[in-house]
């Protein structure tokens, strides 16, 4: 069978050069950030941005996050306010995305922002060399097919997008494991649009109370069903059936045969780094062994647990 061959690039000088050149030419390249792997394209190239949606099989033009090597580059495309500057100084590079008013002079393609007046910008850790080499904002949603589990390794990206993108820059497994926290700073009070790698507690310590989004202004791409394995997923399980695989947090429920341990010690940072890999592994196990589904144990609803539970609820939502 013929078709596009997706190259695996090493995360060394030659690999970075190739990845940057491909992105500058309008090709799509997936790369690891500290959160998950992103499916990158030149944000100033409308054609490249359109192909991101095609490669993901995204039904709608949801707005994408633009990635930058540093805050100065990010704030060239959006108007920063005091809160934004404080958050940037404290958390960038890191798993935080800010939604801010887009500058009219910004070269970011309108399609990348889905035509909104605002733009989501982020300075991720671990990929600044690539972003600096590209020299343009890079639009990057998570590098999975629409609705699927987010990828946290290069192999995950190949499982999702092989033959649909030019290359994957393999920088190993992602350290944080859940997507960035998204804060909307356009209005009078900052609003938490998506829980993620930076906790609400950390943000509020820096800029004071965050408001919850009204339903209408929730991040437009945040569908109820998302991150979905093929297998049915049952949450907050207090017992596990013989025909279920168990997603464990701390000592596994008695009677479980197939267990993926998120964190034996009950550590939320470790659990976040493992949650998407765990869903992926158990999904494959359910399929190959012929089990009925996945049962997930209870995780505490504080700190990084908020982001993990958010992803698990979406993975379990009816489709
Ligand atoms: O950690 C991450 O943020 C990863 C890595 C690759 O950077 N990216 C990521 O992108 O999670 P994606 O496309 O899967 O999620 C982007 C979210 C969507 O829910 C989208 O609706 C929201 O960001 N978003 C983007 N621009 C926005 C805007 N102007 N206003 C409100 N929400 C926005
Ligand atoms: Mg995503």
């Amino acid at each position: 069978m013929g078709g596009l061959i997706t190259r695996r690039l090493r995360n060394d000088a030659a690999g970075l050069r190739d990845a940057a050149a491909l992105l500058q030419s309008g090709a799509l390249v997936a790369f690891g950030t500290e959160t998950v792997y992103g499916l990158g394209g030149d944000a100033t190239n409308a054609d490249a941005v359109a192909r991101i949606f095609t490669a993901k099989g995204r039904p709608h033009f949801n707005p994408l996050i633009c990635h930058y090597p540093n805050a100065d580059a990010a704030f060239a495309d959006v108007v920063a306010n005091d809160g934004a500057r404080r958050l940037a100084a404290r958390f960038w590079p890191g798993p935080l995305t800010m939604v801010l008013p887009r500058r009219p002079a910004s070269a970011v393609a309108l399609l990348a922002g889905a035509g909104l007046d605002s733009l989501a910008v982020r300075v991720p850790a671990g990929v600044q060399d690539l972003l600096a080499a590209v020299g343009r904002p890079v639009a990057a949603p998570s590098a999975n097919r629409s609705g699927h589990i987010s990828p946290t390794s290069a192999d995950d990206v190949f499982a999702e997008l092989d033959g649909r993108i030019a290359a994957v820059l393999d920088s190993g497994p992602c350290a944080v494991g859940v997507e960035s926290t998204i804060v909307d700073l356009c209005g009078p009070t900052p609003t938490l649009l998506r829980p993620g790698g930076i906790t609400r507690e950390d943000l509020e310590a820096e800029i004071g109370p965050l408001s919850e989004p009204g339903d209408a202004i929730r991040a437009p791409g945040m569908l109820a069903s998302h991150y979905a394995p093929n297998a049915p997923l049952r949450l907050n399980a207090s017992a596990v059936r013989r025909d279920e695989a168990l997603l464990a947090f701390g000592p596994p429920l008695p009677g479980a045969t197939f267990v993926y341990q998120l964190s034996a010690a009950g550590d939320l940072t470790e659990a976040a780094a493992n949650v998407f890999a765990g869903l992926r592994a158990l999904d494959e196990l359910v399929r190959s062994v012929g089990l009925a589904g996945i049962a997930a144990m209870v995780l505490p609803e504080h700190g990084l647990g908020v982001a993990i539970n958010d992803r698990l609820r979406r993975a379990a939502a009816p489709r």
Side-chain angles (χ1 to χ4, degrees):
M1 212 172 77
L4 180 66
I5 291 178
T6 301
R7 293 168 62 200
R8 185 188 296 258
L9 302 175
R10 288 158 62 130
N11 194 25
D12 57 16
L16 285 174
R17 216 171 33 237
D18 287 353
L22 282 167
L23 284 165
Q24 287 168 336
S25 76
L28 304 185
V29 177
F31 52 84
T33 75
E34 80 283 49
T35 59
V36 300
Y37 272 71
L39 167 51
D42 176 355
T44 66
N45 177 337
D47 180 59
V49 173
R51 278 183 286 110
I52 292 177
F53 292 102
T54 312
K56 280 186 70 96
R58 252 197 195 180
H60 311 292
F61 290 142
N62 296 329
L64 304 177
I65 297 172
C66 288
H67 297 68
Y68 301 85
N70 54 59
D72 285 345
F75 294 158
D77 278 330
V78 291
V79 182
N81 51 32
D82 207 43
R85 276 185 291 267
R86 291 177 68 149
L87 291 178
R90 173 78 176 77
F91 297 112
W92 277 353
L96 175 69
T97 295
M98 296 192 236
V99 174
L100 288 162
R102 175 196 173 100
R103 288 187 195 275
S106 161
V108 169
L110 284 175
L111 183 58
L116 299 172
D117 297 334
S118 60
L119 195 64
V121 296
R122 139 162 160 83
V123 177
V127 69
Q128 287 132 298
D129 289 351
L130 173 67
L131 295 171
V134 176
R136 295 173 208 161
V138 174
S142 49
N144 51 277
R145 301 282 286 273
S146 186
H148 287 196
I149 300 166
S150 299
T152 52
S153 72
D155 285 349
D156 291 350
V157 178
F158 275 96
E160 292 286 327
L161 296 172
D162 194 12
R164 294 179 158 246
I165 60 178
V168 182
L169 183 65
D170 184 351
S171 53
C174 300
V176 176
V178 291
E179 291 86 347
S180 61
T181 303
I182 306 180
V183 184
D184 184 342
L185 292 144
C186 293
T189 353
T191 305
L192 185 65
L193 294 184
R194 176 174 77 180
I198 304 274
T199 65
R200 166 189 280 266
E201 293 88 330
D202 286 342
L203 294 172
E204 293 191 332
E206 200 60 33
I207 57 166
L210 301 174
S211 62
E212 292 294 334
D215 280 345
I217 56 164
R218 221 170 271 283
M222 292 192 60
L223 307 175
S225 167
H226 205 159
Y227 313 104
N230 292 310
L233 172 65
R234 191 164 69 80
L235 302 184
N236 302 321
S238 51
V240 61
R241 295 194 297 262
R242 285 175 54 89
D243 61 351
E244 283 180 320
L246 181 69
L247 191 66
F249 179 74
L253 292 170
T257 312
F258 302 100
V259 179
Y260 186 98
Q261 180 57 268
L262 290 174
S263 169
D267 177 68
L268 287 169
T269 303
E270 186 182 18
N274 289 330
V275 65
F276 288 137
L279 285 174
R280 221 170 251 282
L282 292 185
D283 197 26
E284 173 58 24
L285 190 79
V286 165
R287 194 190 59 74
S288 59
V289 181
L291 300 173
I294 303 170
M297 290 174 62
V298 177
L299 281 100
E301 188 73 21
H302 62 74
L304 275 178
V306 178
I308 302 171
N309 283 325
D310 169 76
R311 304 308 189 272
L312 289 176
R313 277 192 292 273
R314 288 174 205 282
R319 296 153 227 163

